[in-house]
Amino acid sequence: MDMTFVAEIDDPRLAPYRHQFDRKRHAADRWFVAEGRFLVERLLATDWEMHSILVDDAAKVPPIPPHRIEQLPIYGAPRAAIQELVGFNFHRGVMAAGCRPERTEVTDERSLGETSWTVVAAANIGDAENLGSIIRTACGFGAAAILLDSRCVDPYSRRALRVSTGHAFKIPIVESADFVADLEILRQRHQATLYATVLDEHAQPLSRVVPSPRSVILVGNEGFGLDRYLIDACQHRVTIPMRRGSDSLNVAMATGICLYHFCGRDPFT
């Protein structure tokens, strides 16, 4: 595919690459940016709508899969110009603008299926790298979907996508408009059991939990955990016992441990 050189960074064709750190603006425009060859190739492999590819050298253009050929433009610009455009030290040589998926419902049967499943419900995750790790782990261990409340960082932000290593393109992510209502729908309509992860010596140790066929694991803010009203909405409180005076684990690590327990230690049996 041919590359089009763009001389001016205010060229309207490059608009999706601006406002990298303005979540509201970028989300309203429905664009996100995948940076680096690995992420771009994973995005290209999907059937997600894409706007374009941007490189600082024609040699950086990634292999284009058959279903993308002649379907999207490839722009080139000097590295210094791209850095000014995006607002950070651009050194990976390639990025692509993709279109965010339409808002879905957590009750979408295409995500949940008809029998057993596990959903990760994350509330007020403030660090993009933590959220990216949660996404990657949830996808890898076989969670059906990820439900995010409105306080979570953008799952399609530059850092979240980088840490998720493109797994955000592989698992349904529901950015909830009403988190509590969605939890109630999962509990009532879909007979799911809700498990609050807490720091409480009186909570049930994770090793003793027998997962329900349909389970929702709630994880909370890095510093403060889950709000009381969310804990009260759950049927069970679960904890990971700690030793040597440790008070807790990083939320992404704790989520991974819980998912390993809930989703099955051997997904191939």
Side-chain angles (χ1 to χ4, degrees):
M1 296 178 66
D2 296 330
M3 184 185 77
T4 301
F5 183 79
V6 180
E8 304 293 336
I9 63 171
D10 59 355
D11 190 303
R13 292 174 293 181
L14 301 184
Y17 297 95
R18 298 189 183 92
H19 313 297
Q20 274 289 301
F21 305 106
D22 183 347
R23 176 179 180 178
K24 290 184 178 179
R25 175 67 179 271
H26 228 189
D29 292 342
R30 293 195 60 214
W31 300 118
F32 67 86
V33 174
E35 179 193 3
R37 185 183 181 93
F38 183 75
L39 271 185
V40 172
E41 288 184 355
R42 283 206 159 172
L43 178 58
L44 283 167
T46 72
D47 59 0
W48 287 30
E49 180 183 349
M50 291 181 62
H51 176 276
S52 61
I53 295 172
L54 178 61
V55 297
D56 63 5
D57 188 307
K60 304 285 183 63
V61 176
I64 307 299
H67 72 287
R68 296 285 190 184
I69 293 177
E70 306 301 333
Q71 296 298 310
L72 73 161
I74 300 174
Y75 300 121
R79 179 176 297 185
I82 296 177
Q83 288 188 176
E84 184 179 352
L85 171 72
V86 299
F88 58 81
N89 182 23
F90 175 71
H91 60 86
R92 296 176 183 268
V94 57
M95 59 177 58
C99 187
R100 294 166 182 264
E102 295 283 354
R103 181 185 290 274
T104 58
E105 301 296 329
V106 73
T107 54
D108 189 338
E109 294 295 341
R110 292 172 298 178
S111 302
L112 297 180
E114 298 179 354
T115 54
S116 61
W117 39 256
T118 299
V119 168
V120 176
N124 199 17
I125 301 299
D127 184 274
E129 294 187 2
N130 280 335
L131 185 55
S133 293
I134 289 170
I135 292 169
R136 181 177 183 178
T137 303
C139 188
F141 282 137
I146 300 170
L147 177 66
L148 305 178
D149 78 352
S150 60
R151 299 172 295 172
C152 285
V153 295
D154 183 2
Y156 303 107
S157 69
R158 175 190 173 219
R159 284 198 301 159
L161 281 178
R162 175 173 54 80
V163 176
S164 80
T165 63
H167 285 80
F169 309 143
K170 298 182 176 184
I171 184 171
I173 299 175
V174 179
E175 296 183 81
S176 177
D178 191 331
F179 192 66
V180 174
D182 280 339
L183 292 176
E184 188 64 12
I185 288 171
L186 289 171
R187 190 174 73 87
Q188 293 284 0
R189 187 185 304 172
H190 293 273
Q191 292 79 53
T193 302
L194 276 57
Y195 299 84
T197 58
V198 297
L199 300 177
D200 186 341
E201 62 182 9
H202 300 296
Q204 187 173 17
L206 178 64
S207 61
R208 298 180 187 174
V209 173
V210 179
S212 297
R214 296 181 174 184
S215 301
V216 181
I217 305 171
L218 271 73
V219 297
N221 177 263
E222 293 87 345
F224 305 102
L226 288 167
D227 293 314
R228 172 52 59 182
Y229 70 91
L230 292 175
I231 296 174
D232 291 342
C234 297
Q235 294 104 311
H236 299 280
R237 293 179 301 149
V238 178
T239 194
I240 301 174
M242 306 298 294
R243 298 181 179 179
R244 295 179 176 168
S246 299
D247 57 354
S248 65
L249 295 173
N250 168 275
V251 63
M253 180 179 290
T255 302
I257 292 171
C258 290
L259 280 167
Y260 183 72
H261 181 84
F262 273 76
C263 292
R265 294 168 175 79
D266 186 353
F268 303 105
T269 58

